[in-house]
Amino acid sequence: HALISLTGVTKAYGSNEARIFALRGIDLSIDSGEFISVMGPSGSGKSTCMNILGCLDTPTSGQYKFGGVEVSHMSRKQLATLRRFYLGFVFQGFNLLNRTTAMENVELPLVYRGIPPKKRKTLARKALEQVGLAGREAHTPGELSGGQQQRVAIARAIATTPSVLFADEPTGNLDTARSHEIMELLKQLNREHNITVVMVTHESDMAAYSDRIIHFVDGQVADVENGQAAAAKGGQDR
Ligand code: ADP
Ligand code: ADP
């Protein structure tokens, strides 16, 4: 059954005359183990929807159920707990701490979870291995390439074994070859570790790695495309 389900979700910003609806009735269901891409023009509501799915913000109206539990009316504190235990985040700009090593960056969410140092190091080392960075534990972000920095960020996100990994334009700062490598890694984590992935991207070539592509237009889901079909179509174009 659905891990994530949005029903009639709206989100308004501002008040009175200045009120604008960033989301105008989103119905969306995501199964455990799915790889989802979200696409759409600037201002179509992608970030707003990701912030709600990622429990960083709550809907103005409608339902958001995560694992069968209604979360739209949870407090900030409850949402923070949910994020800490079930969700992982990866960003376009990597968002690593620059003065600390790869190892320490990956350990950080484990510190927040109260995991003791020895266990933390074991888990962080394992996560860095999973993203192909064994041997780079002591490197700081400045000593790593863009692709490697994004791998550290992915290791940080998966070290806590989240149910869902949210990726906001994870390849936006990378060249094409590095982008495909990162997509292969996300796909592998999705398949082998059953991590549900929800990714925003502007690139059809990257969206083609996913099972389903959700197209946003003007705060609504305009179209849902099959990822494999999109990949085949991309191949024909080339
Ligand atoms: P996208 O991620 O697709 O670019 P957004 O979700 O950022 O779209 O924005 C959807 C709409 O909501 C846009 O019209 C945007 O200007 C508006 N918006 C987003 N965040 C805010 C905010 N914090 N306050 C007011 N308006 C916002
Ligand atoms: P964009 O790609 O739209 O410029 P970012 O990649 O910086 O934005 O962040 C995307 C969203 O994730 C932001 O709206 C922000 O609220 C949220 N965010 C940024 N940093 C963190 C973080 N460390 N933990 C959780 N959420 C974050």
Side-chain angles (χ1 to χ4, degrees):
H1 73 118
L3 173 63
I4 279 174
S5 86
L6 298 180
T7 312
V9 165
T10 74
K11 181 68 185 183
Y13 292 113
S15 53
N16 305 324
E17 314 81 82
R19 201 160 198 243
I20 74 128
F21 275 88
L23 298 178
R24 308 162 177 266
I26 304 291
D27 296 313
L28 179 63
S29 177
I30 299 174
D31 287 338
S32 179
E34 269 198 285
F35 191 141
I36 299 286
S37 288
V38 174
M39 299 190 80
S42 183
S44 59
K46 304 180 300 294
S47 302
T48 301
C49 193
M50 288 291 273
N51 285 346
I52 289 172
L53 291 174
C55 296
L56 294 157
D57 205 351
T58 50
T60 301
S61 68
Q63 269 196 339
Y64 175 18
K65 284 191 178 176
F66 183 86
V69 177
E70 178 60 59
V71 301
S72 16
H73 304 297
M74 280 190 179
S75 68
R76 294 259 147 211
K77 202 171 168 185
Q78 286 174 308
L79 291 174
T81 303
L82 196 69
R83 285 202 303 274
R84 193 169 295 166
F85 284 88
Y86 297 102
L87 313 179
F89 297 89
V90 175
F91 307 97
Q92 179 174 357
F94 319 135
N95 296 17
L96 299 172
L97 298 175
N98 286 315
R99 289 169 205 277
T100 56
T101 64
M103 185 77 170
E104 288 161 341
N105 269 283
V106 177
E107 276 185 71
L108 201 59
L110 300 165
V111 173
Y112 289 139
R113 274 204 186 182
I115 296 170
K118 205 173 160 196
K119 178 87 192 286
R120 222 154 65 202
K121 291 202 185 335
T122 307
L123 292 174
R125 192 168 283 116
K126 187 175 143 221
L128 283 166
E129 270 171 32
Q130 282 179 334
V131 301
L133 286 183
R136 309 283 169 142
E137 292 87 351
H139 289 55
T140 60
E143 296 167 333
L144 298 169
S145 70
Q148 289 173 327
Q149 288 183 52
Q150 190 60 298
R151 285 172 191 274
V152 174
I154 292 169
R156 178 182 59 186
I158 62 165
T160 53
T161 57
S163 308
V164 187
L165 179 61
F166 291 100
D168 189 352
E169 294 188 53
T171 62
N173 280 346
L174 302 175
D175 64 33
T176 304
R178 246 47 62 193
S179 294
H180 282 285
E181 287 171 16
I182 290 296
M183 292 312 304
E184 293 290 351
L185 173 61
L186 291 176
K187 186 88 181 174
Q188 183 198 341
L189 294 169
N190 167 252
R191 286 284 175 269
E192 292 175 15
H193 300 274
N194 200 43
I195 300 176
T196 305
V197 180
V198 183
M199 170 180 83
V200 172
T201 182
H202 289 292
E203 299 167 275
S204 309
D205 285 357
M206 305 309 148
Y209 283 85
S210 57
D211 300 318
R212 278 194 298 156
I213 306 170
I214 315 291
H215 292 272
F216 275 69
V217 175
D218 204 15
Q220 292 183 312
V221 174
D223 188 29
V224 179
E225 198 180 354
N226 180 293
Q228 275 76 43
K233 203 171 75 189
Q236 278 166 22
D237 288 350
R238 268 181 253 119

